Amino acid sequence: MPSNPQQLRSRGLVLTAAVSVALVSTGSAYLAMVQFGIDVLAMDPATAYATAGVFELSLVTVALLAREAAKDNRPGGTLLTLTWALSSASGAFAAWHEIFIGHPLGAAIFRFLVPLLAALMWHLALIGDRHLATGMSWSGMRQARRMHALFLTTEDLFRAQSLLDGSRSSRRRLVRAEARRRRARSIALRTVPPTEMRAQVAAWAEALSAVGDGTADVARLHADDRRRLAGVLVSDREPGAPEYERRAADAV
């Protein structure tokens, strides 16, 4: 998180501007949706205003949920995709209305692009909040994704090598895994500066080691728990123990 107050104010102004443009664009799309309902769907004005309001309010709600997910450092990709989908639908209805009333193609294209501008601003606002939540720059987030893909495809390659049994399907699986790893390595080398690559690799290797240690600890605790349970149930195998307890002990 940046500690410079001036930098924080600057980012706050950028986010405020992005949200303001998104709201204005959404308002314009709302009016276009109202006219679409009245002229194309033959709705009465009250129904058209209410229907268009529900549609655009859903768009704003989904976008705000995506922003909150970013602020909490939670995945917001699905919500962001829904924002683009709703904006595209709004633009399509607005463009349909322009063509329906006989306006030229340019007017329809303009009406279609205005809701997409709203989606773009919501997208930028989401990314900006994610930066503030994680303290990472755009380039840092891109580098992290590239390194994650590199290590993940490398793990897939090792798994394909371990499953190689001489069959044609296993060889094809190995070839595909190697191609994905080479592609991920090429992208990582282009994305991460050479001076930072060693530090990035060390950080990811340490993270993978921590995950491996944690997974091993979980497996060990599970095995210890099963042994303790078996020890408790062994005494229930005495002839006087109830039948269901003896069966539970044998199942362990």
Side-chain angles (χ1 to χ4, degrees), residues 4-120:
N4 188 346
Q6 184 176 0
Q7 187 178 7
L8 287 175
R9 284 194 299 269
S10 176
R11 289 191 176 185
L13 288 174
V14 171
L15 292 178
T16 301
V19 173
S20 299
V21 173
L23 290 175
V24 172
S25 301
T26 302
S28 176
Y30 168 69
L31 296 177
M33 285 283 290
V34 171
Q35 293 302 316
F36 175 83
I38 294 175
D39 297 336
V40 180
L41 301 181
M43 294 180 176
D44 60 88
T47 303
Y49 276 99
T51 304
V54 169
F55 189 94
E56 297 299 334
L57 185 60
S58 299
L59 168 62
V60 175
T61 301
V62 171
L64 292 177
L65 288 174
R67 281 168 51 80
E68 289 302 313
K71 289 171 64 177
D72 296 338
N73 200 20
R74 293 182 286 107
T78 301
L79 294 171
L80 188 59
T81 301
L82 288 175
T83 302
W84 279 98
L86 291 173
S87 297
S88 299
S90 177
F93 289 137
W96 184 356
H97 175 259
E98 293 296 322
I99 295 175
F100 179 83
I101 61 179
H103 284 176
L105 181 61
I109 295 175
F110 175 78
R111 280 295 194 177
F112 178 74
L113 291 179
V114 169
L116 295 184
L117 178 62
L120 175 63

Side-chain angles (χ1 to χ4, degrees), residues 140-155:
M141 293 174 61
R142 185 170 61 253
Q143 292 175 14
R145 288 195 299 268
R146 299 298 187 260
M147 294 301 296
H148 177 265
L150 173 60
F151 279 90
L152 188 62
T153 53
T154 301
E155 182 180 356

Side-chain angles (χ1 to χ4, degrees), residues 138-219:
W138 287 351
S139 60
M141 293 174 61
R142 185 170 61 253
Q143 292 175 14
R145 288 195 299 268
R146 299 298 187 260
M147 294 301 296
H148 177 265
L150 173 60
F151 279 90
L152 188 62
T153 53
T154 301
E155 182 180 356
D156 292 339
L157 174 62
F158 291 153
R159 183 178 295 110
Q161 289 175 344
S162 66
L163 296 176
L164 186 63
D165 56 5
S167 64
R168 181 177 301 177
S169 61
S170 65
R171 289 197 299 269
R172 285 200 302 264
R173 185 165 53 245
L174 179 62
V175 170
R176 288 195 298 266
E178 172 61 15
R180 286 193 297 267
R181 187 193 68 86
R182 288 179 61 86
R183 185 165 54 251
R185 184 179 65 176
S186 176
I187 295 174
L189 288 173
R190 291 198 307 266
T191 305
V192 181
T195 56
E196 300 178 12
M197 180 60 75
R198 186 175 296 276
Q200 290 270 8
V201 171
W204 278 95
E206 184 178 355
L208 288 172
S209 176
V211 171
D213 292 342
T215 304
D217 289 341
V218 171

